[in-house]
Amino acid sequence: MTYLGVDYYPEHWPKEKIPEDLEGIKGLGANIVRIGEFAWHRMEPEEGQFDFSFFDEVIEKVKQQGLKVMFGTPTATFPAWLAKKEPSILSEDEFGNPRVFGGRRQYCFNSDAYRNHAAVITRKLVEHYRDEESIISWQIDNEFGHEGSDMCYCDQCHNKFQDYLEEKYSSINALNDEWGTIFWGQTYNDFSEIPAPKPTVTTHNPSLKLEWARFRSASLNQFAHEMTRIVQEEKGAHQDVTTNVSGGFFGKWFDHAENVKLMDYVSYDNYPVWGGLEEPVSPAEIAMTHDFNRGLLNKNYWIVEELMGAQGHDVIGYLPRPNQAKMWSYQAFAHGCSNMLYFRWRGMTQGAEQFCYGVVDHDNVYGRKYKEVQSLFGDIKNYEHVLNSEIQSDIAVLYDYDNIWSWRGQIQSKDFDFNEELLRLYRPFYNLNSRIDVIPADRAIDAYKVVVVPVMQVMDEGLADRLRAFAERGGTVIFSYRTGLKGKDNNLRLGEVQPGLVRDLVGARIEEIESLTKAHALELKGEGEFASVPGHISVWRDLLVPETADVLYSYQDQFYSDYAAVTKNDFGEGTVYYIGGGLDEAALDVIAEKVVEDHSIGYEKSDENVEVYRRETEEGSYLFVMNHSDEIKKHGEIDLQPYESKIIKE
Ligand code: GLA
Ligand code: ZN
């Protein structure tokens, strides 16, 4: 069964409106609604007084329309009475200001008071509906850690951070040694002396910053796991458990794979444009977000919030053009989304999200967007076997949150952006319409032909050894700059020539480095088969001296023309590329095409801004073709109108 529907907020509307709304939703061709994720007060108006009668009635009406239900556990928006009774539940910013009641998710993951109350409402709710056959899924909380809610500097967090360190390090001196607190005379005599990294003069110790990030992740994920376990204990056998991942996941202070590991499937909230953005993010970036979510549990996933209307709190921006939101939906289905709900049925007339437009606007007219969703649901239903087919990729892009947090603590180049640097190496393979997995670096890589390792400055022996074995067996590894610079303690290693643990794989050493900017792009000299391929480097550069590697590009500016910028090394049966800086797309496209051809990896040529995604099923191949542009484009003999999408059976 493919579930298609909308996010519905019955508590936002007069009761008599609900049957009409559900009929309208049914008319879309929907078979599911998501409800309840922000309705704690409606279910527990006073402490300990639980009343589910409102949702009992709603669910009866939902069932009359033959719809199913995803129910959200309402811990993202706690009641005002709880904040008044337990002000310690409120999270604090780095200046010690509590985040007052009135927004959402402004709770502290280390507040025992909050965890207790959240546990009670979650257990009561799921217990109440365990036998409700229409409820097929529970969504835990809503967009964990989004909007800065993954960071808190309150005393509870500070104390638990010190406990976390005392548990992790055998002694205070073990910590002093590992962190190098001898620097600036910061040696600790006791764990109780260790600060939370609030603002200070200059900056904090890199190891402290990384441990704080890990602690933030552990705090949030412990809460998520606690809530997940409660739902799993109380739920009916016919009910699954998920949570909705928000965008900007590389900018969060928690490990997402760890967050969802106990759940049945991942859900994602796909907003290619939000708030004041004047343009949607690029087609490649949207595609990457889908491959990231599919990679979290290595299986197809749901989208429980797909954008249809313009969105924003106090500022809104770009309006998706006719069929553009529909096209983004096809793109999502292509990349492994197997069930989809649109956000939201109707725009709310009151509250902070008056300008988060839905499928139906405040005028309650079933207009363009209603028809766009209806046509999408009508078409996609015919491809259930494709949507449920597994996606096999030959290419993996690795990421590691320790590495991401290390970069966030010291960006080194003022134009450094981890998301951009991962996309820099992802995009050339996306441009070839190859299938790509975006996965945590601790996952098995044996099944792949190509492993891409963007700016992995924090690396341990384990990863280096796995990549070495992978290349030896014939795989291609693509590294970019600052690879292997630091250990998991976020420190450099005395006497180590860079790129450290993988110098043999790379077949070159780094003699000097320079932080550049985006604007400060250096023209490179192509060597050998790249002599006629222009290349430019920006943001950062490693100055490489080849040892066994061939040079693909070298620098040509004063003093540095003897140094290599991009190298290729034959290693065992395999090949290792080292991209020594922010290399531009044109050069990377040529490298990527050589790599996929060397490995006979499937790829599809297409017009610019036309994405083609091949899905293999027992019944043969299906091509999802998406025109991401407002121009008429071609795919083979087929004309594609602006933002048109097609599924073609081969
Ligand atoms: C998020 C949230 C929703 C709502 C929408 C608005 O994704 O999960 O509750 O805020 O954005 O676009
Ligand atoms: Zn806190």
Side-chain angles (χ1 to χ4, degrees):
M1 164 70 79
T2 298
Y3 288 103
L4 303 167
V6 294
D7 303 316
Y8 186 48
Y9 300 86
E11 72 273 20
H12 292 174
W13 311 111
K15 265 198 180 163
E16 58 282 2
K17 200 85 193 158
I18 296 172
E20 174 203 321
D21 285 346
L22 294 171
E23 211 174 312
I25 291 169
K26 180 77 179 179
L28 279 172
N31 56 14
I32 190 166
V33 288
R34 183 191 69 176
I35 59 175
E37 78 270 19
F38 299 127
W40 184 337
H41 186 278
R42 195 69 193 239
M43 297 183 256
E44 188 184 4
E46 300 282 343
E47 180 169 5
Q49 286 177 22
F50 299 98
D51 173 6
F52 300 107
S53 59
F54 174 78
F55 285 102
D56 294 348
E57 283 173 45
V58 167
I59 289 170
E60 282 321 305
K61 294 188 180 101
V62 166
K63 286 198 283 192
Q64 282 157 21
Q65 291 294 339
L67 301 170
K68 294 293 185 185
V69 173
M70 172 183 281
F71 209 120
T73 61
T75 50
T77 50
F78 50 82
W81 57 257
L82 179 52
K84 184 156 179 272
K85 178 169 184 260
E86 304 273 6
S88 67
I89 69 168
L90 296 171
S91 64
E92 280 181 21
D93 66 19
E94 67 267 43
F95 305 106
N97 305 313
R99 296 180 178 122
V100 299
F101 184 82
R104 61 179 174 182
R105 266 198 308 283
Q106 67 285 46
Y107 60 82
C108 168
F109 291 103
N110 286 307
S111 157
D112 294 334
Y114 194 74
R115 290 163 90 137
N116 295 339
H117 281 274
V120 171
I121 183 70
T122 299
R123 192 177 296 281
K124 285 283 180 193
L125 170 63
V126 179
E127 195 178 43
H128 181 78
Y129 287 119
R130 81 157 52 98
D131 302 321
E132 175 49 64
E133 52 80 20
S134 67
I135 297 180
I136 57 147
S137 280
W138 292 98
Q139 172 190 296
I140 306 286
D141 204 286
N142 191 81
E143 295 193 332
F144 276 118
H146 198 34
E147 296 154 337
S149 59
D150 49 5
M151 189 52 78
C152 174
Y153 293 88
C154 77
D155 291 345
Q156 295 159 123
C157 286
H158 188 189
N159 297 336
K160 288 194 178 173
F161 177 51
Q162 293 172 340
D163 298 347
Y164 157 89
L165 295 171
E166 189 150 13
E167 209 170 292
K168 179 166 182 180
Y169 291 82
S170 56
S171 70
I172 191 64
N173 284 335
L175 180 146
N176 282 321
D177 293 346
E178 180 158 324
W179 291 13
T181 54
I182 188 67
F183 183 82
W184 283 349
Q186 295 177 345
T187 304
Y188 298 108
N189 295 343
D190 189 86
F191 288 95
S192 64
E193 293 170 356
I194 300 173
K198 288 185 172 183
T200 186
V201 177
T202 67
T203 186
H204 281 281
N205 174 290
S207 304
L208 176 123
K209 287 198 266 190
L210 182 55
E211 284 294 10
W212 176 253
R214 290 173 177 150
F215 169 72
R216 297 305 325 159
S217 183
S219 304
L220 186 153
N221 285 336
Q222 274 161 19
F223 176 81
H225 294 167
E226 245 168 64
M227 297 305 124
T228 305
R229 288 200 183 91
I230 289 169
V231 174
Q232 284 163 336
E233 280 160 24
E234 297 297 341
K235 72 179 184 69
H238 66 291
Q239 300 168 338
D240 286 333
V241 182
T242 186
T243 192
N244 54 336
V245 173
S246 59
F249 35 76
F250 289 136
K252 300 277 174 27
W253 298 105
F254 70 100
D255 183 319
H256 286 60
E258 180 67 17
N259 181 264
V260 299
K261 74 177 186 186
L262 303 177
M263 298 179 189
D264 298 301
Y265 61 87
V266 166
S267 295
Y268 179 52
D269 295 348
N270 186 28
Y271 292 93
V273 63
W274 204 94
L277 277 183
E278 291 163 38
E279 288 293 327
V281 296
S282 72
E285 180 160 358
I286 309 168
M288 185 276 282
T289 67
H290 292 303
D291 296 340
F292 170 89
N293 280 283
R294 192 180 72 248
L296 288 174
L297 288 176
N298 262 347
K299 64 179 187 181
N300 296 355
Y301 56 99
W302 288 47
I303 287 184
V304 295
E305 294 188 25
E306 181 69 23
L307 170 142
M308 182 45 66
Q311 301 289 309
H313 286 165
D314 304 339
V315 178
I316 45 180
Y318 180 88
L319 168 66
R321 297 317 189 241
N323 291 323
Q324 189 172 24
K326 185 175 164 186
M327 178 274 293
W328 285 327
S329 306
Y330 276 98
Q331 183 191 30
F333 284 118
H335 285 259
C337 166
S338 52
N339 302 276
M340 181 179 285
L341 292 85
Y342 282 93
F343 181 86
R344 50 181 276 158
W345 165 241
R346 184 175 41 236
M348 177 52 171
T349 52
Q350 302 162 308
E353 295 197 337
Q354 290 170 331
F355 303 129
C356 290
Y357 287 83
V359 174
V360 173
D361 291 338
H362 310 87
D363 58 13
N364 203 33
V365 172
Y366 295 7
R368 173 189 65 79
K369 294 180 285 178
Y370 184 94
K371 296 187 184 74
E372 200 166 305
V373 173
Q374 208 175 33
S375 66
L376 186 268
F377 284 177
D379 182 34
I380 205 71
K381 276 183 183 151
N382 307 314
Y383 298 96
E384 185 164 321
H385 61 295
V386 182
L387 304 187
N388 294 326
S389 66
E390 199 187 328
I391 293 175
Q392 296 280 349
S393 310
D394 292 323
I395 303 167
V397 175
L398 306 186
Y399 65 87
D400 173 62
Y401 271 96
D402 277 347
N403 179 56
I404 294 170
W405 297 327
S406 168
W407 274 110
R408 285 189 75 182
Q410 296 164 299
I411 60 172
Q412 299 168 54
S413 162
K414 61 182 176 24
D415 283 338
F416 178 87
D417 176 288
F418 177 82
N419 199 55
E420 266 313 304
E421 292 309 320
L422 183 138
L423 273 172
R424 187 189 297 278
L425 299 190
Y426 171 94
R427 194 178 292 115
F429 295 101
Y430 166 83
N431 292 343
L432 292 166
N433 296 306
S434 298
R435 292 188 296 269
I436 309 162
D437 287 353
V438 177
I439 56 171
D442 60 4
R443 290 279 168 80
I445 54 177
D446 316 333
Y448 297 104
K449 295 176 177 170
V450 179
V451 170
V452 178
V453 192
V455 291
M456 192 69 82
Q457 80 171 8
V458 170
M459 183 184 281
D460 60 11
E461 280 77 6
L463 178 58
D465 294 346
R466 284 191 298 122
L467 292 168
R468 183 172 291 103
F470 175 78
E472 252 150 11
R473 279 196 310 274
T476 290
V477 178
I478 303 178
F479 290 119
S480 68
Y481 56 92
R482 286 309 227 174
T483 291
L485 179 72
K486 294 183 165 197
K488 284 282 184 176
D489 57 9
N490 208 17
N491 293 319
L492 292 91
R493 291 169 278 242
L494 178 60
E496 185 177 67
V497 175
Q498 298 305 324
L501 300 171
V502 293
R503 180 178 173 188
D504 58 333
L505 276 82
V506 170
R509 67 178 182 278
I510 296 161
E511 276 201 356
E512 300 207 51
I513 51 101
E514 181 174 28
S515 171
L516 304 169
T517 62
K518 266 200 186 137
H520 184 181
L522 298 170
E523 188 172 352
L524 302 175
K525 180 168 174 291
E527 311 281 0
E529 57 189 321
F530 284 79
S532 60
V533 184
H536 297 78
I537 251 177
S538 62
V539 181
W540 183 270
R541 67 168 166 178
D542 290 339
L543 295 153
L544 293 145
V545 177
E547 295 176 328
T548 57
D550 301 327
V551 177
L552 303 187
Y553 286 97
S554 55
Y555 297 106
Q556 47 183 352
D557 58 322
Q558 192 186 8
F559 306 114
Y560 301 115
S561 53
D562 295 341
Y563 285 105
V566 180
T567 59
K568 176 184 175 191
N569 189 41
D570 298 330
F571 186 86
E573 305 297 310
T575 310
V576 179
Y577 290 83
Y578 192 92
I579 315 292
L583 186 62
D584 62 0
E585 191 171 347
L588 282 164
D589 280 348
V590 177
I591 292 174
E593 191 158 343
K594 288 185 187 308
V595 169
V596 293
E597 275 165 2
D598 288 353
H599 286 283
S600 341
I601 292 173
Y603 71 97
E604 329 278 338
K605 284 276 180 182
S606 63
D607 254 0
E608 202 196 344
N609 281 325
V610 170
E611 178 180 350
V612 179
Y613 200 95
R614 179 182 294 274
R615 294 287 295 267
E616 307 292 358
T617 74
E618 272 132 41
E619 295 84 31
S621 282
Y622 289 78
L623 293 185
F624 286 69
V625 182
M626 285 73 66
N627 178 2
H628 285 268
S629 82
D630 57 8
E631 294 159 14
I632 294 178
K633 291 280 184 176
K634 274 230 173 269
H635 175 70
E637 293 315 301
I638 303 167
D639 280 341
L640 296 165
Q641 296 306 310
Y643 304 119
E644 187 177 4
S645 312
K646 286 185 186 301
I647 302 178
I648 301 164
K649 170 109 177 56
E650 278 218 324

Short mmCIF file of all heavy atoms in Angstrom, two decimals, residues 28-53:
data_model
loop_
_atom_site.label_atom_id
_atom_site.label_comp_id
_atom_site.label_asym_id
_atom_site.label_seq_id
_atom_site.Cartn_x
_atom_site.Cartn_y
_atom_site.Cartn_z
N LEU A 28 -8.80 14.36 -2.91
CA LEU A 28 -7.45 14.50 -3.48
C LEU A 28 -6.94 13.17 -4.02
O LEU A 28 -5.98 13.11 -4.77
CB LEU A 28 -6.46 14.96 -2.40
CG LEU A 28 -6.37 16.41 -2.00
CD1 LEU A 28 -5.46 16.56 -0.78
CD2 LEU A 28 -5.85 17.26 -3.16
N GLY A 29 -7.61 12.09 -3.51
CA GLY A 29 -7.07 10.75 -3.80
C GLY A 29 -6.19 10.28 -2.66
O GLY A 29 -5.40 9.36 -2.78
N ALA A 30 -6.33 10.97 -1.51
CA ALA A 30 -5.51 10.65 -0.33
C ALA A 30 -6.07 9.42 0.40
O ALA A 30 -7.25 9.10 0.29
CB ALA A 30 -5.50 11.84 0.62
N ASN A 31 -5.19 8.77 1.16
CA ASN A 31 -5.65 7.66 2.00
C ASN A 31 -5.08 7.74 3.41
O ASN A 31 -5.19 6.79 4.18
CB ASN A 31 -5.29 6.31 1.36
CG ASN A 31 -3.79 6.19 1.10
OD1 ASN A 31 -3.00 6.98 1.62
ND2 ASN A 31 -3.41 5.21 0.29
N ILE A 32 -4.47 8.91 3.75
CA ILE A 32 -3.92 9.06 5.10
C ILE A 32 -3.84 10.53 5.48
O ILE A 32 -3.70 11.40 4.60
CB ILE A 32 -2.50 8.42 5.20
CG1 ILE A 32 -2.04 8.36 6.67
CG2 ILE A 32 -1.49 9.16 4.34
CD1 ILE A 32 -0.83 7.46 6.90
N VAL A 33 -3.98 10.81 6.78
CA VAL A 33 -3.73 12.13 7.32
C VAL A 33 -2.76 11.99 8.50
O VAL A 33 -2.76 10.96 9.17
CB VAL A 33 -5.02 12.84 7.82
CG1 VAL A 33 -5.89 13.27 6.66
CG2 VAL A 33 -5.79 11.96 8.80
N ARG A 34 -1.93 13.00 8.71
CA ARG A 34 -1.11 13.07 9.92
C ARG A 34 -1.75 14.10 10.82
O ARG A 34 -2.09 15.21 10.37
CB ARG A 34 0.34 13.48 9.62
CG ARG A 34 1.24 13.50 10.86
CD ARG A 34 2.59 14.14 10.61
NE ARG A 34 2.47 15.58 10.39
CZ ARG A 34 3.53 16.38 10.23
NH1 ARG A 34 4.75 15.88 10.28
NH2 ARG A 34 3.36 17.68 10.02
N ILE A 35 -1.92 13.71 12.11
CA ILE A 35 -2.57 14.62 13.07
C ILE A 35 -1.81 14.61 14.40
O ILE A 35 -0.99 13.73 14.64
CB ILE A 35 -4.04 14.19 13.33
CG1 ILE A 35 -4.10 12.76 13.88
CG2 ILE A 35 -4.90 14.36 12.09
CD1 ILE A 35 -5.51 12.32 14.28
N GLY A 36 -2.09 15.61 15.22
CA GLY A 36 -1.77 15.59 16.63
C GLY A 36 -0.42 16.01 17.11
O GLY A 36 -0.23 16.20 18.32
N GLU A 37 0.56 16.25 16.24
CA GLU A 37 1.93 16.43 16.72
C GLU A 37 2.12 17.69 17.55
O GLU A 37 3.16 17.83 18.21
CB GLU A 37 2.92 16.39 15.56
CG GLU A 37 3.03 17.63 14.69
CD GLU A 37 2.08 17.64 13.52
OE1 GLU A 37 1.07 16.88 13.56
OE2 GLU A 37 2.31 18.43 12.58
N PHE A 38 1.18 18.63 17.56
CA PHE A 38 1.32 19.85 18.36
C PHE A 38 0.16 20.02 19.33
O PHE A 38 -0.11 21.13 19.80
CB PHE A 38 1.41 21.09 17.45
CG PHE A 38 2.59 21.08 16.51
CD1 PHE A 38 2.41 21.27 15.15
CD2 PHE A 38 3.87 20.88 16.98
CE1 PHE A 38 3.49 21.26 14.27
CE2 PHE A 38 4.96 20.86 16.12
CZ PHE A 38 4.78 21.05 14.75
N ALA A 39 -0.54 18.93 19.66
CA ALA A 39 -1.80 19.08 20.39
C ALA A 39 -1.75 18.57 21.83
O ALA A 39 -2.74 18.02 22.35
CB ALA A 39 -2.91 18.36 19.62
N TRP A 40 -0.55 18.73 22.50
CA TRP A 40 -0.42 18.23 23.87
C TRP A 40 -1.52 18.81 24.77
O TRP A 40 -2.23 18.07 25.46
CB TRP A 40 0.98 18.57 24.40
CG TRP A 40 1.34 18.05 25.77
CD1 TRP A 40 0.48 17.68 26.79
CD2 TRP A 40 2.64 17.84 26.30
NE1 TRP A 40 1.17 17.26 27.89
CE2 TRP A 40 2.52 17.35 27.62
CE3 TRP A 40 3.92 18.01 25.77
CZ2 TRP A 40 3.63 17.02 28.41
CZ3 TRP A 40 5.02 17.68 26.57
CH2 TRP A 40 4.88 17.19 27.88
N HIS A 41 -1.66 20.17 24.77
CA HIS A 41 -2.63 20.80 25.68
C HIS A 41 -4.04 20.26 25.46
O HIS A 41 -4.80 20.07 26.39
CB HIS A 41 -2.61 22.32 25.53
CG HIS A 41 -3.48 23.02 26.54
ND1 HIS A 41 -4.84 23.14 26.36
CD2 HIS A 41 -3.19 23.59 27.74
CE1 HIS A 41 -5.35 23.76 27.41
NE2 HIS A 41 -4.39 24.03 28.26
N ARG A 42 -4.37 19.96 24.17
CA ARG A 42 -5.72 19.44 23.87
C ARG A 42 -5.92 18.10 24.53
O ARG A 42 -7.02 17.70 24.87
CB ARG A 42 -5.87 19.32 22.34
CG ARG A 42 -7.27 19.14 21.87
CD ARG A 42 -8.04 20.41 22.09
NE ARG A 42 -9.46 20.25 21.93
CZ ARG A 42 -10.17 20.93 21.04
NH1 ARG A 42 -9.57 21.74 20.18
NH2 ARG A 42 -11.47 20.80 20.99
N MET A 43 -4.83 17.36 24.73
CA MET A 43 -4.93 16.01 25.30
C MET A 43 -4.65 15.98 26.81
O MET A 43 -5.03 15.03 27.49
CB MET A 43 -3.95 15.09 24.57
CG MET A 43 -4.27 14.92 23.10
SD MET A 43 -3.15 13.76 22.30
CE MET A 43 -2.09 14.89 21.40
N GLU A 44 -3.99 17.02 27.31
CA GLU A 44 -3.72 17.12 28.75
C GLU A 44 -3.84 18.57 29.18
O GLU A 44 -2.85 19.25 29.45
CB GLU A 44 -2.33 16.57 29.10
CG GLU A 44 -2.08 16.47 30.61
CD GLU A 44 -0.66 16.01 30.97
OE1 GLU A 44 0.17 15.85 30.04
OE2 GLU A 44 -0.40 15.84 32.19
N PRO A 45 -5.09 19.11 29.21
CA PRO A 45 -5.29 20.55 29.50
C PRO A 45 -4.79 20.95 30.88
O PRO A 45 -4.35 22.09 31.07
CB PRO A 45 -6.80 20.72 29.37
CG PRO A 45 -7.39 19.35 29.44
CD PRO A 45 -6.34 18.40 28.97
N GLU A 46 -4.85 20.04 31.82
CA GLU A 46 -4.29 20.27 33.15
C GLU A 46 -3.39 19.08 33.46
O GLU A 46 -3.62 17.99 32.95
CB GLU A 46 -5.42 20.32 34.20
CG GLU A 46 -6.46 21.37 34.01
CD GLU A 46 -5.96 22.78 34.46
OE1 GLU A 46 -4.95 22.81 35.19
OE2 GLU A 46 -6.54 23.75 34.00
N GLU A 47 -2.43 19.30 34.34
CA GLU A 47 -1.51 18.21 34.64
C GLU A 47 -2.26 16.98 35.12
O GLU A 47 -3.09 17.04 36.02
CB GLU A 47 -0.49 18.62 35.70
CG GLU A 47 0.48 17.49 36.01
CD GLU A 47 1.68 17.89 36.85
OE1 GLU A 47 1.70 19.06 37.28
OE2 GLU A 47 2.54 17.04 37.06
N GLY A 48 -2.01 15.86 34.43
CA GLY A 48 -2.59 14.58 34.88
C GLY A 48 -4.02 14.35 34.43
O GLY A 48 -4.58 13.28 34.64
N GLN A 49 -4.62 15.38 33.79
CA GLN A 49 -6.00 15.19 33.29
C GLN A 49 -5.93 14.88 31.79
O GLN A 49 -5.77 15.79 30.98
CB GLN A 49 -6.81 16.45 33.50
CG GLN A 49 -7.22 16.72 34.94
CD GLN A 49 -7.96 18.06 35.00
OE1 GLN A 49 -8.48 18.50 33.97
NE2 GLN A 49 -7.93 18.70 36.15
N PHE A 50 -6.04 13.59 31.46
CA PHE A 50 -5.89 13.21 30.05
C PHE A 50 -7.26 13.07 29.40
O PHE A 50 -8.15 12.41 29.94
CB PHE A 50 -5.09 11.91 29.96
CG PHE A 50 -3.70 12.08 30.54
CD1 PHE A 50 -3.42 11.67 31.84
CD2 PHE A 50 -2.72 12.72 29.80
CE1 PHE A 50 -2.16 11.88 32.39
CE2 PHE A 50 -1.47 12.93 30.34
CZ PHE A 50 -1.18 12.51 31.65
N ASP A 51 -7.43 13.70 28.25
CA ASP A 51 -8.72 13.69 27.56
C ASP A 51 -8.47 13.55 26.06
O ASP A 51 -8.05 14.49 25.41
CB ASP A 51 -9.48 15.00 27.86
CG ASP A 51 -10.74 15.10 27.03
OD1 ASP A 51 -11.07 14.11 26.33
OD2 ASP A 51 -11.37 16.17 27.03
N PHE A 52 -8.72 12.37 25.55
CA PHE A 52 -8.47 12.12 24.13
C PHE A 52 -9.77 12.17 23.31
O PHE A 52 -9.79 11.82 22.13
CB PHE A 52 -7.78 10.77 23.96
CG PHE A 52 -6.44 10.70 24.67
CD1 PHE A 52 -6.29 9.96 25.84
CD2 PHE A 52 -5.35 11.43 24.20
CE1 PHE A 52 -5.08 9.92 26.51
CE2 PHE A 52 -4.13 11.39 24.86
CZ PHE A 52 -3.98 10.64 26.03
N SER A 53 -10.84 12.64 23.95
CA SER A 53 -12.16 12.58 23.29
C SER A 53 -12.19 13.35 21.98
O SER A 53 -12.80 12.90 21.00
CB SER A 53 -13.23 13.13 24.24
OG SER A 53 -12.89 14.48 24.58
#
